[in-house]
Amino acid sequence: MSHLIPTPHVETTDEPQGPPARAAAVSARGLTLHTRRGAVYGPVDLDVPAGALVVVQGPQGGGRSSLLLTIAGRMVPDRGSILTVLGEPLPRCRGAVQARAAVAGFAGVDDLDESVTVADTVRERLAWLSPWYRRVARVDQRTFAALAEPVFGERPLPRVDSLVWDLDEVDAMLLRLTLAMAQHPDLIVVDDVDQVHDSVRRQTVWSRLEAIAATGTTVIASVASFDEVARMRWDRRPEQVMLATGPHAVPAT
């Protein structure tokens, strides 16, 4: 069974206990998904506080992407699974969760068209998020900066006239995060962070995900490496979910 690393039990006393615990953004019990080929993931027990950064670690074929898409209301788990996200029961309230949960980094879901410019990519996303009757203006560097700086932080922004093809893998990932955050979500799930292959450069992505979580947005991100958290630098060590499920899974070590 996959679960968060447990928090030690603390006995109550009459002494002040500090600020109250944060409400759960995600709560799951016995969360599973099967197909005709067998188990995709689960069972998973999970409690994610609002505003937390959680790292889901597991092998290729271990169900990481499907688990994250289920949490974001894009996939339906097995009957009998208990899942509440942002206070809404899933899958019954999928629409409400989808409106408040964004996705980034998923192959076949939010892939970037490499043949278009950054400006056109952003404009298309803003048009998708706007009412059908509202015209979305051309995206200039100033407009892009207002949207992207909270995600990129101190990293220089790409020029809006750059082709997506010309972006390096860090900027491409941060652009996908920017497009997801344009939804102003309460929760963002990010798949396959190690598609940024170099661990030194991947540190930039983790630092920016940590900064997003610090603003109050709950972040759940997946990675294949089981020692990823130990190898990265953190302002606050994230919580971890270890997966060793699915048709091609290998035991966690």
Side-chain angles (χ1 to χ4, degrees):
M1 179 176 292
S2 305
H3 54 82
L4 285 177
I5 296 174
T7 301
H9 176 70
V10 179
E11 296 291 341
T12 59
T13 70
D14 293 333
E15 297 297 325
Q17 297 297 307
R22 290 174 291 175
V26 179
S27 179
R29 294 293 179 271
L31 185 63
T32 59
L33 179 63
H34 289 77
T35 67
R36 293 178 181 177
R37 298 182 61 188
V40 178
Y41 64 75
V44 175
D45 290 344
L46 187 63
D47 290 295
V48 179
L53 169 61
V54 174
V55 179
V56 177
Q57 297 163 282
Q60 295 294 335
R64 293 177 290 124
S65 301
S66 296
L67 174 62
L68 267 59
L69 288 173
T70 302
I71 290 171
R74 272 69 171 181
M75 295 185 73
V76 176
D78 292 347
R79 288 182 178 273
S81 299
I82 299 174
L83 177 59
T84 301
V85 177
L86 303 173
E88 305 284 356
L90 287 177
R92 181 161 58 88
C93 296
R94 291 176 64 194
V97 171
Q98 289 173 10
R100 299 172 60 196
V103 302
F106 289 84
V109 177
D110 70 312
D111 296 313
L112 300 174
D113 185 343
E114 296 182 337
S115 67
V116 303
T117 64
V118 170
D120 288 341
T121 300
V122 174
R123 186 180 184 185
E124 180 181 16
R125 176 61 174 167
L126 295 178
W128 178 263
L129 294 172
S130 298
W132 64 268
Y133 53 80
R134 181 175 299 168
R135 179 180 179 275
V136 176
R138 181 178 64 88
V139 174
D140 57 19
Q141 197 68 32
R142 183 175 179 178
T143 303
F144 179 55
L147 191 67
E149 282 178 349
V151 174
F152 278 74
E154 296 181 357
R155 184 177 177 86
L157 298 178
R159 299 296 305 173
V160 293
D161 57 358
S162 300
L163 290 176
V164 170
W165 172 269
D166 293 325
L167 302 182
D168 71 11
E169 58 187 7
V170 173
D171 287 338
M173 175 61 89
L174 294 182
L175 177 58
R176 293 170 85 170
L177 290 174
T178 297
L179 299 177
M181 291 301 293
Q183 184 179 332
H184 303 292
D186 295 308
L187 166 70
I188 181 171
V189 296
V190 185
D191 195 33
D192 194 19
V193 176
D194 42 12
Q195 63 190 275
V196 177
H197 297 95
D198 178 72
S199 60
V200 174
R201 294 164 62 74
R202 198 159 62 248
Q203 176 69 65
T204 298
V205 177
W206 285 120
S207 295
R208 297 318 305 158
L209 289 175
E210 195 171 22
I212 290 170
T215 68
T217 301
T218 306
V219 179
I220 305 176
S222 78
V223 67
S225 172
F226 278 106
D227 64 348
E228 182 79 352
V229 171
R231 290 192 293 142
M232 294 292 137
R233 301 185 309 274
W234 308 96
D235 290 336
R236 181 178 179 181
R237 189 180 178 90
E239 299 181 83
Q240 301 170 73
V241 176
M242 311 296 285
L243 289 181
T245 55
H248 308 294
V250 296
T253 57

